[in-house]
Amino acid sequence: MSARIILIGPPGAGKGTQAARLAERLQIPAVSTGSIFRTNVTEETPLGVEAKRYMDAGEYVPDEVTNKMVRERLQQDDALNGFLLDGYPRTTAQVTALDEILAETGDSLDHVVELEADTDEVVARLLTRAQIEARADDSEEIIRHRLDVYVEQTAPLTKLYAERGLLRTVDGLGAVDEVSSRVLAAIGQDQKA
Ligand code: AMP
C-alpha cells in the first residue's frame, strides 16, 4: 500500500524496532536517518566523517546536511510510493524541508505516530543497549543530553502535527508485539488483515 508515515519519539522509545515491523507490514521502506548516518560513519564517507562528531556528542547533525540526505533518499525508486520515516524530521527546519520535498511531487503525509515513553525507562533501555551494541553515543551523560535535545527541539513537533490532524500517540511501553498492535490500530490498520 502507499502510505507516508513519520515515527517520532524520544531515543530509546523503540522507534527502530517498530519502524522495521511496520514497514514490512505495509510494504514500504523504513528510512532511518540515524541508521543512514551510522552506515556512513562505518564506511568513513565524507558525510559520515561530518556526522560523527555531532552524533558522538549527542547533538543533532546540522539541518542542511540531514535534509539533503533525506531528499536524496526519498527520491529513490522504492520510496516513491510511500515510506516510513524513523527519526526524521527532528527540528522545525526539517519539517519545512519535508513539506517542500512532498509538495514537489504533490504528495502528503498520512500519519505521524508518536511513541511515548517515560524518561527513566528510556534511559534504562539505552544503557542496556549501550552494553550490547557499544554505541559511542550511549554513555549515561550523552543519553541524558540526547533526551534534553529531544525535549527542546523535537517534542514541540508533535504539537505542530497535532494541529494538522496527523498525530497518533501510542504508548511505547510493553512487549514489542503489543506496541506494534497499538501502532497498527492508531493508523487504522486491522491487526489481523
Ligand atoms: P537515532 O538512531 O535516530 O537515535 O540517531 C542517532 C543520531 O544520529 C542522533 O543522535 C543524531 O546525532 C543523528 N540524527 C539522526 N537523525 C537525525 C535528524 N533527523 N536530524 C539530526 N540528526 C539526526
Side-chain angles (χ1 to χ4, degrees), residues 52-142:
K52 188 176 187 316
R53 48 198 173 110
Y54 298 101
M55 296 170 75
D56 286 353
E59 301 285 347
Y60 287 167
V61 177
D63 288 327
E64 316 81 74
V65 176
T66 308
N67 289 336
K68 180 167 180 280
M69 180 178 88
V70 171
R71 169 181 287 277
E72 286 168 7
R73 178 64 188 90
L74 294 185
Q75 283 168 349
Q76 287 172 21
D77 284 350
D78 66 331
L80 296 180
N81 281 319
F83 52 76
L84 175 61
L85 282 170
D86 159 19
Y88 181 94
R90 267 163 143 119
T91 65
T92 49
Q94 293 179 13
V95 170
T96 305
L98 179 61
D99 286 343
E100 286 168 8
I101 294 169
L102 290 169
E104 283 165 20
T105 44
D107 294 317
S108 54
L109 292 170
D110 297 295
H111 309 281
V112 176
V113 178
E114 177 191 15
L115 273 188
E116 269 190 328
D118 170 77
T119 303
D120 289 340
E121 172 69 22
V122 298
V123 170
R125 282 191 196 179
L126 289 171
L127 286 170
T128 307
R129 185 173 77 187
Q131 289 175 339
I132 299 168
E133 295 180 15
R135 273 173 55 162
D137 57 355
D138 273 346
S139 76
E140 179 154 6
E141 194 192 340
I142 304 277

Side-chain angles (χ1 to χ4, degrees), residues 3-4 12 27 33 35 40 57 60 65 73 83 92 95 122 143 146 161 177 186 188-189 191:
R4 292 179 180 82
Q27 293 291 295
T33 43
S35 98
N40 278 276
Y60 287 167
V65 176
R73 178 64 188 90
F83 52 76
T92 49
V95 170
V122 298
I143 288 169
R146 290 172 68 207
Y161 284 123
D177 277 341
Q189 291 285 316
Q191 195 189 338

